[in-house]
Amino acid sequence: METRIFSKKDIEEAAQILKAGGLVAFPTETVYGLGGNGLDKEAARKIYAAKGRPSDNPLILHVSKMEEVYPLVESVPEKAKLLMESFWPGPLTLILKKSKIVPLESTGGLDTVALRCPDNGVTLELIERAGLPVAGPSANLSGSPSPTEASHVYHDLSGRIEGILDDGAVGIGVESTILDMSTDRPTLLRPGAITLEDLTEVLGEKPEIDPTLLGKKMEDGFIPKAPGMKYRHYAPKAEMILFCSSEEKEHEYKVSKRIAEYLEEEGRGFPREKIAILCAEETKHFYQEMAEKEGIILKVLGRRDEPLSMTHNLFRILRECDEGGIELILSEGYSEEGIGFALMNRMKKAAGQKIIAV
Ligand code: AMP
Ligand code: MG
């Protein structure tokens, strides 16, 4: 099939494709989603097939307003309502007990369903016109970094889906925060741009945190509750190593020194043009001279003091590394405060947890 690129003026056509059981990728404020009718088993199967995704990894149902949640769930607890009122439309996904009309094919066989109202005008209109909850995992091939531009979706899924609704580059760049509200205490399953601090303020208590987000390993018997978190994810083709320091003071200097040492010792003999260093605007001066002299690629993620600038660029830069044939990525690690928790979660996953403490 030929994948068509739609713009804002084609929303009606895109909505008709969703209604007819086809797949259209859509923009959100986090990453591009791969949309299909969330109430149609066949559409769910098509989504898994297009992504090459294991079918036990559930989808998120996107709604255009809070009222549309009610038919999809058993009930809406008071606290969940409060969170929707506070953060929707926005980058927060809530897990609730599903109602009968949501097929198990959309939820990876679970009796719960993930729900979100994205903060993107084009997509809100798409959902409204389709008149359906739109199932949407990220619109990438399973295992590769999530798409933050329509061209990334085209690269991964052209020929596999009917269309892509293009609304330019997304803002946040990492997937939504996922909070499980189907348990006694709210539990954070995936960190995102709605931070733990934001959630705590509205809930009046700090949510539980899924142990796997705190570095507990699956080998030690911890199974992540968000099935997607167990798969290799967000990963570039290159081997990636994170250099993290727990000290704030002189952190940048120590990390850059350790990266230079690594290149000289463990990395000796590695073709320099196949190495990329990921750093911050504030720290790039530590690497510039060495990179120029040796022919190493230097990629600036964003500003250390504005973590959103880094989440915005991360997946695009990982894709650029793939395109450029990079085989080794050495990256600085950053603070896990606020949105930094989401940034570092994705960076650690991209690095397959290969972390060198400095
Ligand atoms: P993606 O946006 O591609 O990351 O896919 C949706 C994510 O939501 C996956 O990582 C799932 O594991 C997670 N998810 C969806 N539904 C549920 C659910 N019922 N319980 C826990 N996690 C879920
Ligand atoms: Mg995904």
Side-chain angles (χ1 to χ4, degrees):
M1 101 185 43
E2 194 193 327
T3 300
R4 297 172 55 200
I5 306 291
F6 295 121
S7 72
K8 274 181 205 163
K9 62 176 186 351
D10 309 311
I11 296 179
E12 182 55 34
E13 205 172 334
Q16 290 305 327
I17 293 176
L18 292 176
K19 276 184 167 172
L23 304 186
V24 178
F26 59 90
T28 78
E29 77 282 33
T30 59
V31 302
Y32 272 76
L34 172 50
N37 178 352
L39 301 180
D40 173 5
K41 297 177 201 177
E42 273 314 307
R45 284 200 195 102
K46 283 189 203 166
I47 290 176
Y48 289 111
K51 275 181 71 79
R53 176 173 185 142
S55 60
D56 68 341
N57 189 355
L59 313 174
I60 294 174
L61 298 196
H62 294 76
V63 297
S64 71
K65 51 179 105 52
M66 206 176 115
E67 291 67 41
E68 292 164 15
V69 163
Y70 288 87
L72 307 174
V73 299
E74 264 182 12
S75 66
V76 178
E78 223 20 66
K79 282 191 170 169
K81 196 167 162 234
L82 204 59
L83 290 165
M84 292 178 200
E85 284 164 355
S86 305
F87 298 115
W88 282 11
L92 176 65
T93 296
L94 297 177
I95 310 284
L96 294 172
K97 286 256 186 291
K98 79 172 193 69
S99 71
K100 289 210 173 67
I101 65 166
V102 178
L104 288 167
E105 282 77 0
S106 297
T107 66
L110 299 172
D111 62 357
T112 52
V113 59
L115 299 152
R116 168 162 128 79
C117 178
D119 189 10
N120 176 287
V122 173
T123 288
L124 290 176
E125 193 178 332
L126 174 73
I127 301 169
E128 225 170 73
R129 288 201 189 205
L132 305 157
V134 175
S138 52
N140 51 312
L141 281 176
S142 190
S144 70
S146 294
T148 57
E149 295 173 17
S151 65
H152 301 163
V153 182
Y154 193 81
H155 176 274
D156 280 18
L157 300 179
S158 73
R160 294 168 169 254
I161 60 177
E162 275 81 359
I164 303 169
L165 189 49
D166 186 354
D167 189 37
V170 303
I172 294 168
V174 293
E175 305 83 351
S176 57
T177 305
I178 302 183
L179 190 69
D180 190 349
M181 295 299 292
S182 71
T183 46
D184 284 345
R185 272 193 72 184
T187 306
L188 182 75
L189 304 185
R190 176 170 79 184
I194 301 294
T195 64
L196 264 178
E197 293 81 354
D198 297 332
L199 296 170
T200 305
E201 203 177 307
V202 172
L203 289 169
E205 59 172 348
K206 196 174 164 199
E208 302 272 349
I209 301 176
D210 192 73
T212 51
L213 298 180
L214 299 171
K216 300 277 192 293
K217 299 226 174 70
M218 285 206 287
E219 298 90 89
D220 302 332
F222 290 95
I223 309 290
K225 272 200 73 190
M229 298 301 272
K230 76 182 177 222
Y231 295 105
R232 185 180 143 89
H233 226 147
Y234 323 120
K237 295 193 186 99
E239 174 178 13
M240 177 162 159
I241 304 174
L242 265 180
F243 293 76
C244 295
S245 157
S246 52
E247 288 170 54
E248 268 303 303
K249 251 186 162 179
E250 289 187 65
H251 151 98
E252 309 95 323
Y253 176 66
K254 283 186 188 153
V255 166
S256 63
K257 217 170 124 222
R258 185 65 188 89
I259 289 181
E261 273 168 22
Y262 185 94
L263 281 167
E264 248 175 61
E265 291 160 18
E266 292 94 325
R268 189 183 309 144
F270 205 99
R272 280 353 204 190
E273 73 282 4
K274 296 199 176 226
I275 302 177
I277 295 177
L278 266 52
C279 65
E281 192 59 53
E282 293 96 324
T283 52
K284 70 173 184 219
H285 63 277
F286 287 124
Y287 308 96
Q288 250 160 348
E289 201 185 306
M290 172 179 69
E292 263 167 42
K293 205 163 87 197
E294 299 198 23
I296 291 168
I297 312 295
L298 195 57
K299 299 262 185 200
V300 175
L301 271 174
R303 293 192 58 83
R304 258 170 73 91
D305 60 2
E306 285 167 31
L308 252 183
S309 68
M310 295 196 155
T311 57
H312 175 77
N313 291 321
L314 176 67
F315 289 147
R316 175 179 55 78
I317 287 177
L318 294 181
R319 280 179 180 264
E320 281 172 15
C321 288
D322 281 351
E323 299 282 300
I326 296 294
E327 289 175 11
L328 177 64
I329 299 174
L330 305 179
S331 178
E332 295 181 331
Y334 302 101
S335 157
E336 302 204 15
E337 294 274 300
I339 294 177
F341 191 26
L343 174 71
M344 289 305 293
N345 170 266
R346 305 314 192 275
M347 289 184 85
K348 285 177 182 174
K349 287 188 138 261
Q353 309 294 335
K354 273 182 262 113
I355 299 165
I356 293 183
V358 178

